[in-house]
């Protein structure tokens, strides 16, 4: 049996085990949550943590006002079209009261369109760039990309960077990071050089890196995520680049750390404070719930959490719990879904692991500066940067 086939079978077994675990916990439910994530494919290094974080969330609190919560999970295979199809199945066949997902921006947008059309609220777990005026049923617990990239640019300025090269995914996530960088960098006196792109499934970025290095940037900013996000770091190391490397919150997971190895040493990037919870001051607003999340994750998954993505699931669950406790009507009805949407849109000071959530109509995002810190990768561990 080949190594790739073994890995594929292992992924399939994990997906089946996760789905079975959710089904077992879903008996006699009154509320339904529909989760679509990437348990297989290129985005599975993000999707599996999302799923495990949701298991921890369900175990942490599985009912609201005496009503049990059923969680239905589907694998989108890292494909936006499948994610949209999953969302439609969750709405039409499973009759879920809320959608959650997924592991990539294009797939999340596909789900959001279904939620909007079906008038079912969606809590996104990844940044989504949509017009709030046309997507009033969609919210996300992820930090807005601009908030995070602003922090990176501030760090670049502190580090004395004057020029920065850019390489990122050739999709919506790569666009989000690049556009945020272009908006923030000029005000800090930093010039962006190049705009190199690669696909998530690519095996090499040597050509793109050579073009970038020809521009002689002081530093490099990357717009990738998960395991494929390691490629620019590896290629830059091979070419002897010695300048500072910057990433973003899409890279905060153990598979990236494992694959990038020594090539990621010293890389700086923003993340939610949960990733360095034990290093935070005692009075940091998210520290207690972050430690509670870690305990719940350890108990359910029999392993510690070392990524940022599982915590987004947990935060999405906390926002849902708060809103469901205030929503009126019977679950499964249009009236309840409307009330649930309105309740999410009026969320006030819900403390999560990544930040403190305050939603309002006309805004997809609900966090502020309390939802970001800068971390440095040191010997395979994330450290709170000075």
């Amino acid at each position: 049996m080949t190594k790739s086939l073994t890995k594929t079978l292992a992924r399939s077994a994990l997906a089946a085990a996760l789905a079975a675990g959710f089904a077992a916990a879903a008996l006699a439910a009154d509320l339904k949550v529909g989760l679509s994530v990437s348990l297989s494919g290129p985005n599975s290094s993000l999707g599996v943590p999302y799923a495990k974080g949701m298991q921890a969330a369900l175990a942490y609190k599985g009912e609201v006002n005496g009503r049990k919560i059923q969680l239905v999970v589907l694998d989108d295979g890292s494909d936006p079209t499948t994610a949209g199809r999953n969302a439609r199945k969750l709405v039409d066949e499973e009759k879920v009261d809320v959608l959650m997902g997924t592991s990539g921006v294009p797939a999340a947008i596909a789900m959001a369109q279904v939620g909007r059309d079906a008038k079912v609220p969606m809590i996104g777990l990844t940044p989504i760039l949509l017009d709030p005026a046309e997507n009033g049923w969609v919210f996300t617990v992820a930090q807005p990309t601009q908030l995070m990239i602003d922090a990176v640019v501030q760090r670049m300025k502190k580090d004395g960077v004057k020029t920065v090269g850019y390489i990122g995914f050739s999709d919506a996530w790569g666009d989000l990071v690049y556009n945020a960088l272009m908006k923030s960098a000029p005000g800090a006196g930093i010039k962006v050089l190049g705009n190199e792109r690669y696909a998530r499934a690519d095996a090499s970025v040597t050509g793109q890196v050579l073009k970038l290095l020809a521009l002689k940037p002081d530093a490099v900013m990357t717009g990738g995520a998960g395991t494929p996000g390691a490629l620019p770091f590896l290629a830059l190391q091979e070419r002897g680049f010695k300048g500072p490397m910057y990433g973003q919150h899409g890279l905060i997971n153990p598979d990236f750390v494992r694959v990038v190895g020594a090539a990621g040493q010293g890389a700086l990037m923003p993340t939610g404070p949960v990733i360095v919870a034990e290093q935070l001051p005692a009075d940091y607003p998210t520290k207690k719930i972050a430690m509670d999340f870690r305990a719940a994750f350890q108990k359910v998954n029999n392993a510690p959490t070392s990524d940022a993505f599982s915590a987004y699931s947990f935060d999405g669950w906390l926002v849902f719990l708060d809103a469901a406790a205030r929503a009126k009507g019977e679950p499964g009805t249009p009236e309840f879904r409307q009330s649930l949407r309105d309740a999410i849109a009026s969320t006030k000071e819900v403390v999560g692991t990544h930040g403190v959530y305050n939603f309002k109509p006309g805004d997809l995002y609900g966090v502020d500066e309390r939802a970001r810190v800068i971390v440095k990768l040191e010997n395979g561990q994330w450290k709170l940067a000075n």
Side-chain angles (χ1 to χ4, degrees):
M1 184 178 293
T2 66
K3 184 177 181 181
S4 61
L5 179 57
T6 301
K7 185 175 182 180
T8 299
L9 291 174
R11 290 287 190 195
S12 300
L14 176 58
L18 286 168
F22 289 135
L27 300 176
D30 297 313
L31 286 161
K32 268 194 172 184
V33 175
L35 173 70
S36 177
V37 287
S38 304
L39 298 177
S40 59
N43 289 340
S44 60
S45 64
L46 312 182
V48 171
Y50 277 136
K52 289 184 176 181
M54 202 64 82
Q55 282 185 310
L58 182 62
Y60 178 77
K61 187 172 182 181
E63 64 177 25
V64 176
N65 293 342
R67 289 177 168 142
K68 294 184 181 298
I69 305 171
Q70 177 179 351
L71 182 61
V72 182
V73 62
L74 298 177
D75 177 17
D76 63 31
S78 302
D79 176 54
T81 301
T82 303
R85 189 160 55 244
N86 282 353
R88 178 58 62 186
K89 180 177 180 180
L90 289 167
V91 168
D92 292 344
E93 299 179 20
E94 299 292 345
K95 310 297 183 184
V96 300
D97 296 299
V98 63
L99 291 166
M100 291 193 193
T102 177
S103 315
V105 174
I109 291 174
M111 289 186 67
Q113 290 170 345
V114 174
R116 178 195 62 196
D117 295 345
K119 291 183 170 52
V120 174
M122 173 176 167
I123 299 176
L125 307 179
T126 192
I128 310 173
L129 187 59
L130 294 169
D131 183 353
E134 298 178 1
N135 293 275
W137 290 81
V138 183
F139 308 87
T140 180
V141 291
Q143 298 91 337
T145 308
Q146 194 67 58
L147 179 74
M148 304 302 264
I149 303 307
D150 285 350
V152 176
V153 171
Q154 291 170 18
R155 179 69 192 209
M156 288 181 185
K157 184 177 180 180
K158 179 181 178 181
D159 293 343
V161 172
K162 298 298 182 183
T163 59
V164 59
Y166 179 76
I167 178 170
F169 284 159
S170 55
D171 62 21
W173 180 240
D175 293 342
L176 280 172
V177 177
Y178 178 74
N179 292 339
L181 180 63
M182 291 297 291
K183 183 176 180 179
S184 186
I190 299 171
K191 185 177 181 180
V192 180
L193 305 178
N195 181 13
E196 296 299 323
R197 302 301 186 95
Y198 67 101
R200 292 175 185 248
D202 285 352
S204 172
V205 295
T206 299
Q208 294 93 321
V209 163
L210 288 173
K211 291 179 183 178
L212 209 56
L213 291 181
L215 301 174
K216 299 183 178 180
D218 295 337
V220 173
M221 172 74 190
T222 68
T227 306
L231 284 176
F233 293 85
L234 295 167
L236 285 162
Q237 182 192 50
E238 290 174 358
R239 294 294 164 178
F241 182 70
K242 300 298 183 183
M245 293 282 296
Y246 300 88
Q248 27 59 42
H249 46 312
L251 298 174
I252 309 294
N253 80 6
D255 279 353
F256 166 78
V257 174
R258 173 181 56 80
V259 173
V260 79
Q265 178 72 8
L268 290 153
M269 50 198 77
T271 184
V274 63
I275 203 68
V276 287
E278 72 285 349
Q279 302 173 43
L280 297 171
D283 61 349
Y284 201 89
T286 64
K287 182 166 186 171
K288 182 182 183 303
I289 189 65
M291 299 307 290
D292 289 346
F293 157 67
R294 288 190 174 187
F297 188 98
Q298 174 73 43
K299 183 176 181 180
V300 171
N301 296 290
N302 198 32
T305 174
S306 57
D307 68 277
F309 300 95
S310 53
Y312 286 124
S313 295
F314 196 81
D315 283 3
W317 193 262
L318 294 177
V319 169
F320 163 69
L321 291 175
D322 173 77
R326 295 181 286 115
K328 307 299 182 183
E330 287 298 316
T333 65
E335 293 77 17
F336 180 80
R337 293 175 186 134
Q338 176 73 53
S339 182
L340 181 61
R341 191 283 301 264
D342 294 344
I344 296 172
S346 62
T347 297
K348 299 295 183 186
E349 291 292 294
V350 170
V351 179
T353 67
H354 276 282
V356 181
Y357 295 94
N358 290 277
F359 287 106
K360 59 183 179 182
D363 193 353
L364 298 174
Y365 295 91
V367 294
D368 53 29
E369 287 78 6
R370 292 173 290 182
R372 69 182 190 190
V373 295
I374 294 290
V375 296
K376 178 184 285 189
L377 188 57
E378 295 183 355
N379 300 317
Q381 300 293 323
W382 298 110
K383 301 294 183 182
L384 188 63
N386 294 327

